[in-house]
Amino acid sequence: VQLVESGGTSVQAGGSLRLSCAASGYAVSSGYMAWFRQTPGGPREGVTAINPEGIATYADFVKGRFTTSKDNAKNTLYLQLNDLKPDDTAMYYCAAAPSYSRGWESWRLRKEGYDAWGQGTQVTVSS
């Protein structure tokens, strides 16, 4: 499994970005996938997760501002970030769970549920 994120850059507060995660060796259409973020010295925290049916869940701190989606034809996961705040500054990672995963509701925003990770893409928000 290979996951490659892109789209991270520097932006001013209130701005928008779209992150992409291109997958190979893993079917986005039938997988459990997620976005996490991490600041230096901080924990890797779940931002949003999406199941094979396209049902997404979001961390409280991004609800209403971020949206995840997937393009099955391109085998790519996306994260739309709107109304960005300086606290959103972090490295953003795409993650994929094993295809045999069950009980998604209990681990969907927990890093322990995922075993494939991208290299990350940096988002920096200035005030």
Side-chain angles (χ1 to χ4, degrees):
V1 177
Q2 186 176 20
L3 305 173
V4 180
E5 302 97 332
S6 61
T9 189
S10 297
V11 65
Q12 289 192 326
S16 297
L17 283 176
R18 189 176 80 157
L19 308 182
S20 299
C21 171
S24 58
Y26 187 88
V28 168
S29 61
S30 58
Y32 296 87
M33 301 190 72
W35 289 95
F36 287 76
R37 68 185 188 184
Q38 187 171 23
T39 56
R44 188 165 294 191
E45 58 182 3
V47 176
T48 178
I50 189 166
N51 71 4
E53 290 73 33
I55 297 172
T57 190
Y58 298 89
D60 287 343
F61 54 80
V62 302
K63 279 182 180 176
R65 300 190 298 124
F66 293 5
T67 304
T68 191
S69 62
K70 52 184 179 177
D71 185 328
N72 295 336
K74 295 182 178 179
N75 210 37
T76 299
L77 180 71
Y78 299 102
L79 181 63
Q80 178 69 38
L81 301 81
N82 296 328
D83 189 23
L84 281 160
K85 306 177 186 302
D87 284 349
D88 294 320
T89 295
M91 186 73 78
Y92 283 73
Y93 296 91
C94 172
S99 58
Y100 54 79
S101 298
R102 298 293 184 270
W104 178 67
E105 292 79 7
S106 65
W107 52 264
R108 53 194 173 183
L109 289 179
R110 296 176 58 189
K111 63 182 186 299
E112 293 79 9
Y114 301 87
D115 66 350
W117 295 85
Q119 81 290 348
T121 186
Q122 178 67 37
V123 173
T124 302
V125 184
S126 59
S127 58

